[in-house]
Amino acid sequence: MIVKHFKLSQPEKERLIRIKSKTGIQNWNILCRWALCWSLAEPTVPGGLDPLSDSNVEMDWSTFAGEYAEIYEAIIRQRCINDELGDDEKTCAKYFRLHLNRGINHYSARDVLQSCQDLLRSAVPKEEI
């Protein structure tokens, strides 16, 4: 397991609240899964520092990943290997949080999401639209 539990930063929480209002999706874990997957699909390595854990939104790995916990972990590990970062627990945990943060930031950008349909469109490769 990459992490047992994690807390979102206050800015991440505020961004997710805005995303929730635009999409109508009320579950933090579902929005976080979408954000993680969007970031993992990007070819670049997310940069920056680990986001602070200063909000009151805390999630267990099992709540975040649900029945697909092993799959999410394998994807994150493989992405770390592909990015030549290694796949030790500390590295995987760090890049999990960086990918999650990047995805949340993307979806909270002003013109990215206006509805749940925009969220669904983001899952389809651009050449298929």
Side-chain angles (χ1 to χ4, degrees):
M1 174 179 329
I2 291 176
V3 294
K4 289 184 181 181
H5 63 273
F6 61 95
K7 280 180 101 171
L8 297 175
S9 69
Q10 190 62 34
E12 287 172 323
K13 175 186 173 184
E14 291 166 7
R15 289 178 181 117
L16 283 170
I17 289 169
R18 286 194 302 273
I19 295 168
K20 286 170 75 171
S21 71
K22 289 180 178 184
T23 64
I25 297 170
Q26 295 301 307
N27 299 65
W28 301 101
N29 60 323
I30 292 171
L31 292 172
C32 287
R33 288 178 198 172
W34 278 86
L36 175 69
C37 289
W38 179 87
S39 181
L40 288 169
E42 289 295 297
T44 59
V45 177
L49 302 172
D50 283 336
L52 295 174
S53 299
D54 59 349
S55 78
N56 61 351
V57 178
E58 188 169 354
M59 223 178 296
D60 289 335
W61 176 258
S62 61
T63 300
F64 164 77
E67 64 185 287
Y68 302 108
E70 291 176 0
I71 294 171
Y72 282 109
E73 182 169 354
I75 291 169
I76 293 164
R77 284 189 187 285
Q78 189 60 54
R79 176 63 191 261
C80 286
I81 290 168
N82 292 354
D83 291 339
E84 299 179 354
L85 302 168
D87 70 338
D88 61 275
E89 295 295 320
K90 188 174 180 179
T91 299
C92 288
K94 175 182 177 179
Y95 281 91
F96 160 68
R97 285 296 288 125
L98 289 174
H99 275 289
L100 180 60
N101 182 264
R102 177 168 71 173
I104 291 170
N105 288 339
H106 168 74
Y107 281 134
S108 68
R110 196 167 125 194
D111 296 326
V112 173
L113 291 180
Q114 298 303 320
S115 68
C116 193
Q117 291 173 329
D118 292 335
L119 185 64
L120 293 172
R121 277 189 209 101
S122 74
V124 178
K126 289 180 177 72
E127 54 272 2
E128 291 183 24
I129 295 177

